[in-house]
Amino acid sequence: MQDLLSIASDLKPVFAVLLAVGAALLLARIFQESLARIFRRVPRIREAIAQGRNPLRLVLSLIGIRIGLGATAAGAEWFGPVSYVLTLGLIASLAWLAVVVLLIVEVMLLSKYSTDSKDNRRMRRLKTQIMLGRRVGVAVIVTIGVAFVLLTIPEVQALGAGILASAGLISIVAGLAVQSSLTNVFAGVQLAFTDAIRVDDVVVVETQWGTIEEITMTYVVVHLWDDRRLILPSTYFTSTPFENWTRKQSAILGTVELDLDWRAPVGDLRAHLKETLAGTELWDGRTGVLQITDAVNSLVRVRILVSAEDSGALFDLRCLVREAMVTYLQEWHPGALPRQRWEEVHAKAPGVHKAPRSRAGGDPEDTSTSQFFTGSIEAIDRRHSFAGPGKQVFEEREENSVDD
């Protein structure tokens, strides 16, 4: 009988551990099923909650095992080392669970907004700040977890006073050692909360065109147009000029330039441009202008200015307009193509013959769409935007300069 009682007493910790693990798994399943039911209509949140299954099970199991062993084997010789290992495991599992909770919170916040629209500035700003905030939170959690693990070591606790006393010297040495890294960290925080760039912004960096794919605490990943990734330190965007094509809106203007002969039929080209733009969905209807911007030597420069709802559509639209103009000139006005000529000068110049009108029916006298800053209400508004601060401001500046 005594042997049976002794065996039963020895098996109490085992039964306590099994009971604790079973209860922990049951509680974790109930909690997860409850959350999954609450967010059943949001697949992204359900997927994020599923990632917290294992850390939640581990935390509850370690807590249950620690309580069970404390109630059944507190006086055993092996209880101390096992309790210490359980404490370390609990610290690590709590840190793991906290990281997953941050991920769930991030998904919940981002799921309230949509990125389907072309001009989603608010969403991109929020996404950038939340992603960087989550990374900062993960770094803080890992640091706190490591600190708690170290504090469980008696030798480290004894050195606490000495560490605090030498904190000034250590901070100076550490600052010098990781100066560049800390600079990138602060630059990353600055980028996230000053809106210089956001995730999914279209930028031109190092003569490369791409979108901001990821902003971390120390570097930025740019997804280039040809599916390459350009990784730049965060300080690049705080110290080097770059182009952000979606800072305020995604709509954008672009140019197509053609160097043609002096006999180029400007009116016909303008009419053909109208037909081309009217026949494509790439054009957003805002701007479609053809101008002669230069005329030197044996060529005239034709500049076509068009607009599109985003940079991708603009690139295709520019290619379409360029191809349409080149094809039109080749078929109907080959004499307008650039060439070099030598002409013999006679005493009496031959008569000037007008080129035949094209099928487009362009009128050289019609310049209603040839002006970018004049000729229409939109053009006048655009001119006012680039007219400067105004006459009154200029007079005040002149007076202040005289007074000084």
Side-chain angles (χ1 to χ4, degrees):
M1 180 64 68
Q2 293 181 354
D3 294 338
L4 293 176
L5 293 175
S6 176
I7 293 174
S9 177
D10 293 338
L11 292 178
K12 281 183 179 180
V14 177
F15 291 129
V17 169
L18 294 177
L19 181 61
V21 172
L25 294 179
L26 180 61
L27 288 175
R29 183 175 182 82
I30 294 174
F31 185 73
Q32 181 187 356
E33 291 295 334
S34 300
L35 291 179
R37 187 179 298 274
I38 294 173
F39 298 103
R40 61 182 180 276
R41 297 183 179 180
V42 188
R44 293 181 57 191
I45 298 181
R46 293 182 60 185
E47 294 175 0
I49 292 175
Q51 297 183 18
R53 182 189 304 114
N54 291 332
L56 180 61
R57 290 175 177 175
L58 185 57
V59 168
L60 295 178
S61 298
L62 291 175
I63 294 176
I65 292 172
R66 179 64 178 79
I67 295 175
L69 292 180
T72 58
E77 296 181 356
W78 50 266
F79 178 75
V82 172
S83 177
Y84 178 72
V85 173
L86 291 175
T87 301
L88 295 181
L90 182 60
I91 293 174
S93 60
L94 284 173
W96 184 13
L97 181 61
V99 171
V100 175
V101 169
L102 287 180
L103 178 61
I104 295 174
V105 171
E106 177 188 358
V107 174
M108 291 177 63
L109 292 175
L110 295 180
S111 63
K112 296 181 179 180
Y113 300 90
S114 173
T115 58
D116 296 336
S117 61
K118 297 293 183 180
D119 233 349
N120 48 7
R121 291 177 291 150
R122 183 180 179 184
M123 172 59 190
R124 291 186 285 109
R125 175 183 180 183
L126 180 65
K127 183 178 179 180
T128 300
Q129 294 178 351
I130 290 178
M131 289 178 61
L132 185 60
R134 193 249 304 169
R135 288 190 174 93
V136 173
V138 170
V140 172
I141 290 172
V142 172
T143 303
I144 294 176
V146 173
F148 273 107
V149 170
L150 293 177
L151 288 176
T152 61
I153 304 174
E155 290 78 4
V156 175
Q157 294 179 357
L159 292 175
I163 292 175
L164 292 176
S166 59
L169 179 61
I170 293 177
S171 62
I172 294 175
V173 175
L176 294 175
V178 297
Q179 182 179 3
S180 59
S181 299
L182 291 177
T183 302
N184 279 316
V185 170
F186 289 121
V189 174
Q190 179 182 349
L191 290 177
F193 292 94
T194 57
D195 288 341
I197 55 174
R198 307 181 186 96
V199 175
D200 295 332
D201 266 347
V202 179
V203 296
V204 176
V205 291
E206 299 292 317
T207 68
Q208 299 289 336
W209 175 50
T211 59
I212 301 296
E213 184 177 60
E214 185 179 5
I215 300 177
T216 70
M217 294 179 61
T218 56
Y219 63 88
V220 176
V221 180
V222 181
H223 182 188
L224 300 182
W225 66 274
D226 56 359
D227 282 341
R228 291 179 297 150
R229 265 65 175 181
L230 182 63
I231 300 177
L232 298 169
S234 299
T235 52
Y236 177 90
F237 293 92
T238 59
S239 59
T240 306
F242 64 94
E243 297 180 23
N244 188 340
W245 289 8
T246 53
R247 178 68 175 81
K248 293 296 184 181
Q249 60 181 4
S250 59
I252 193 171
L253 301 177
T255 60
V256 175
E257 293 187 337
L258 302 172
D259 288 332
L260 304 177
D261 191 77
W262 281 73
R263 295 183 296 179
V266 179
D268 293 347
L269 291 176
R270 189 171 289 124
H272 187 64
L273 174 63
K274 292 180 182 179
E275 292 181 358
T276 303
L277 295 178
T280 177
E281 296 180 354
L282 298 173
W283 185 50
D284 62 1
R286 292 187 301 123
T287 303
V289 177
L290 187 147
Q291 296 174 312
I292 303 295
T293 58
D294 203 358
V296 294
N297 298 327
S298 59
L299 298 173
V300 294
R301 175 157 296 177
V302 177
R303 190 186 74 162
I304 301 171
L305 188 64
V306 293
S307 61
E309 62 182 3
D310 56 48
S311 56
L314 177 66
F315 180 83
D316 290 340
L317 179 61
R318 292 171 60 195
C319 293
L320 174 65
V321 170
R322 187 181 295 110
E323 180 179 348
M325 288 298 174
V326 170
T327 303
Y328 174 71
L329 290 172
Q330 289 175 342
E331 292 181 356
W332 295 92
H333 297 281
L337 299 177
R339 65 182 62 190
Q340 293 182 348
R341 64 171 64 87
W342 288 268
E343 182 177 356
E344 183 180 357
V345 179
H346 299 281
K348 184 177 181 180
V352 179
H353 302 280
K354 295 184 65 177
R357 300 298 296 274
S358 71
R359 59 179 178 179
D363 184 5
E365 302 299 328
D366 180 16
T367 60
S368 59
T369 60
S370 65
Q371 294 88 6
F372 186 54
F373 293 102
T374 57
S376 64
I377 297 177
E378 294 80 4
I380 293 175
D381 291 339
R382 190 180 298 113
R383 182 184 64 184
H384 289 164
S385 300
F386 290 90
K391 182 178 180 180
Q392 183 179 357
V393 176
F394 290 137
E395 292 177 353
E396 292 178 357
R397 291 179 180 177
E398 187 68 22
E399 293 177 359
N400 294 332
S401 63
V402 172
D403 294 339
D404 295 340

